[in-house]
């Protein structure tokens, strides 16, 4: 994931953004400290999604099917509710802090103009590969413009330059760039493109950043920085591939010069915010949940009044026009 490279780029190009980002962490920590009951009351929130699929018309692989896209939504609903079948693989040491985030996700039924949509926008492009410069987020640059991020989580799916699997903005970014980008090869629960990233966990991970999660290693070597969550052990570096529990990356930090106690029993390498393969990840933690809820309350509450998941009423009132515009509907049991 290149969210932190992206963040560094944003900071470099905009010193004010760097300052704002520093302050936002203090803001978030203060919010959590002053809301001790945060997360005690359980309430499921559904996040409306629009997927912008930016595809190369010359490559049949780029044209993900609607099924592949909805399989990604299924993965999000499993991972963020801890309904994932592989939750039994969480080591006992960490299972007591494994969390149901209580976020659900659904493709939009209504576009910004109030018209019916299936939440999937397909846009052909002449750009062969996209990078961190955000071109996929702008129609004039070969991508597709965002829908208003107060009402939608925008996800752009496209071919990304190697080795980027995806990246996300953080909640401090409320511009039209706000959203998540995922390589088409890692999107959805598919196994035809990748043997490592075929379970849809790249989007699970990136949306974690969109809700202000950091990588479990804090993106600093040898435990110099924590990820802002007490229940994820300090971790010396990010983990790649798959690991056998218990595993600690501390051995990569010798001689250990950092004063922080970094000698954990095991890294939480199976956390969605590490870098391991999809099949080796299976949890978010309670403190990550609190961070996400705080980020939601501070930055994303407009989604609660979004109309995106309410199908337009004219749709059901005018069956004649409905059929002409949306013949696909006939597949799903026509009452006539
Ligand atoms: Zn990441
Ligand atoms: Ca931690």
């Amino acid at each position: 994931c290149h969210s932190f490279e992206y963040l560094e780029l944003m900071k470099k190009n905009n010193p004010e953004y760097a300052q704002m980002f520093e302050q936002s962490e203090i803001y978030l920590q203060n919010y959590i400290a002053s809301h001790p009951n945060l997360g005690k009351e359980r309430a499921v929130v559904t996040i409306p999604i629009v997927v912008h699929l930016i595809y190369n018309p010359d490559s049949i692989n780029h044209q993900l099917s609607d099924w592949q896209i909805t399989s990604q939504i299924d993965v999000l609903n499993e991972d963020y509710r801890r309904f994932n079948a592989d939750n039994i693989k969480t080591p006992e040491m960490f299972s007591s802090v494994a969390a149901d985030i209580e976020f659900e996700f659904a493709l939009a039924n209504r576009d910004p103009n109030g018209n019916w949509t299936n939440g999937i926008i397909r846009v052909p492009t002449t750009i062969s590969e996209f990078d961190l410069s955000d071109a996929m987020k702008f129609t004039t640059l070969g991508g597709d413009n965002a829908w208003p991020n107060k009402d939608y989580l925008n996800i752009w799916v496209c071919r990304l330059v190697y080795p980027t699997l995806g990246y996300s903005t953080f909640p401090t970014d409320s511009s039209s760039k706000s959203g998540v980008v995922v390589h088409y090869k890692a999107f959805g629960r598919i196994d035809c493109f990748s043997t490592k990233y075929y379970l849809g966990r790249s989007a699970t991970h990136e949306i974690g950043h969109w809700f202000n999660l950091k990588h479990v290693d804090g993106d600093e070597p040898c435990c110099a920085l924590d990820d802002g969550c007490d229940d994820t052990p300090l971790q010396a570096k990010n983990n790649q591939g798959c690991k056998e529990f218990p595993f600690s990356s501390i051995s990569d930090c010798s001689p250990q010069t950092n004063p922080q106690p970094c000698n954990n029993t095991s890294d939480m390498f199976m956390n969605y915010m590490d870098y391991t393969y999809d099949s080796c990840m299976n949890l978010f933690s309670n403190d990550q949940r609190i961070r996400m809820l705080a980020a939601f309350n501070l930055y994303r509450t407009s989604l609660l009044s979004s109309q995106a998941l309410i199908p337009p009423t004219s749709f059901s009132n005018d069956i004649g026009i409905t059929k002409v515009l949306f013949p696909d509907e006939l597949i799903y049991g026509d009452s006539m």
Side-chain angles (χ1 to χ4, degrees):
C1 159
H2 282 67
S3 295
F4 270 77
E5 284 81 352
Y6 177 75
L7 182 64
E8 291 308 312
L9 202 67
M10 296 279 287
K11 287 178 181 174
K12 211 175 84 185
N13 297 340
N14 183 354
E16 274 174 25
Y17 186 88
Q19 206 184 5
M20 195 166 76
F21 190 80
E22 304 278 301
Q23 283 166 355
S24 75
E25 181 62 26
I26 300 166
Y27 186 44
L28 187 89
Q29 295 294 352
N30 286 345
Y31 183 87
I32 292 172
S34 59
H35 291 79
N37 288 327
L38 184 64
K40 296 242 165 79
E41 205 168 299
R42 303 183 65 80
V44 174
V45 169
T46 304
I47 313 290
I49 285 180
V50 54
V51 171
H52 309 261
L53 180 67
I54 316 294
Y55 68 96
N56 178 343
D58 297 332
S59 168
I60 193 159
N61 286 343
H62 284 201
Q63 273 283 25
L64 300 188
S65 67
D66 285 1
W67 178 84
Q68 277 169 316
I69 291 167
T70 54
S71 79
Q72 179 63 70
I73 306 299
D74 293 344
V75 172
L76 297 175
N77 284 324
E78 291 164 20
D79 290 352
Y80 278 81
R81 294 302 319 274
R82 195 155 170 80
F83 293 152
N84 51 307
D86 56 1
N87 65 22
I88 50 167
K89 290 200 211 161
T90 303
E92 206 183 328
M93 183 184 163
F94 296 134
S95 56
S96 62
V97 300
D100 169 3
I101 309 300
E102 296 183 282
F103 287 164
E104 296 189 351
F105 301 84
L107 289 167
N109 296 124
R110 188 192 289 228
D111 74 12
N113 297 320
N115 297 319
W116 184 87
T117 177
N118 66 353
I120 302 170
I121 314 296
R122 295 173 179 275
V123 177
T125 190
T126 54
I127 311 287
S128 56
E129 284 185 326
F130 289 93
D131 59 20
L132 300 182
S133 62
D134 284 327
M136 76 292 285
K137 302 176 182 178
F138 297 95
T139 306
T140 52
L141 300 176
D144 193 37
N145 287 347
W147 287 7
N149 58 53
K150 69 177 178 50
D151 294 320
Y152 304 87
L153 162 54
N154 286 274
I155 301 181
W156 288 270
V157 179
C158 56
R159 185 180 187 94
L160 286 168
V161 65
Y162 182 84
T164 310
L165 279 175
Y167 67 96
S168 175
T169 60
F170 288 85
T172 32
D173 191 336
S174 57
S175 75
S176 53
K177 293 177 174 181
S178 169
V180 163
V181 182
V182 181
H183 197 303
Y184 78 92
K185 287 188 175 181
F187 198 74
R189 185 157 24 206
I190 46 178
D191 58 4
C192 43
F193 295 131
S194 167
T195 53
K196 302 163 185 171
Y197 308 108
Y198 63 98
L199 294 176
R201 258 96 196 227
S202 295
T204 299
H205 174 113
E206 296 307 337
I207 292 172
H209 289 311
W210 197 70
F211 283 115
N212 223 355
L213 293 191
K214 301 181 175 189
H215 294 133
V216 278
D217 69 325
D219 285 292
E220 284 285 339
C222 300
C223 308
L225 271 185
D226 183 41
D227 62 350
C229 298
D230 290 341
D231 61 4
T232 60
L234 275 169
Q235 179 172 316
K237 63 187 267 283
N238 66 59
N239 290 301
Q240 318 250 344
C242 283
K243 301 290 176 202
E244 201 74 44
F245 180 85
F247 175 85
S248 179
S249 52
I250 187 61
S251 55
D252 288 358
C253 284
S254 56
Q256 194 187 356
T257 49
N258 199 287
Q260 293 246 38
C262 196
N263 49 343
N264 60 31
T265 310
S266 175
D267 293 356
M268 197 185 273
F269 57 81
M270 74 301 299
N271 190 287
Y272 297 126
M273 300 315 287
D274 206 338
Y275 279 66
T276 41
Y277 293 161
D278 280 10
S279 60
C280 306
M281 304 179 145
N282 48 57
L283 85 150
F284 284 122
S285 77
N286 283 326
D287 287 349
Q288 285 177 322
R289 172 171 180 257
I290 295 301
R291 268 186 83 87
M292 285 196 260
L293 292 181
F296 186 90
N297 289 349
L298 288 170
Y299 300 100
R300 310 276 189 223
T301 50
S302 63
L303 293 172
L304 293 171
S305 48
S306 170
Q307 305 288 297
L309 299 178
I310 306 167
T313 46
S314 60
F315 184 55
S316 51
N317 289 347
D318 196 341
I319 287 170
I321 287 174
T322 295
K323 279 188 177 173
V324 175
L325 287 176
F326 310 112
D328 276 356
E329 275 302 298
L330 295 174
I331 296 167
Y332 303 104
D334 187 8
S335 58
M336 300 207 36

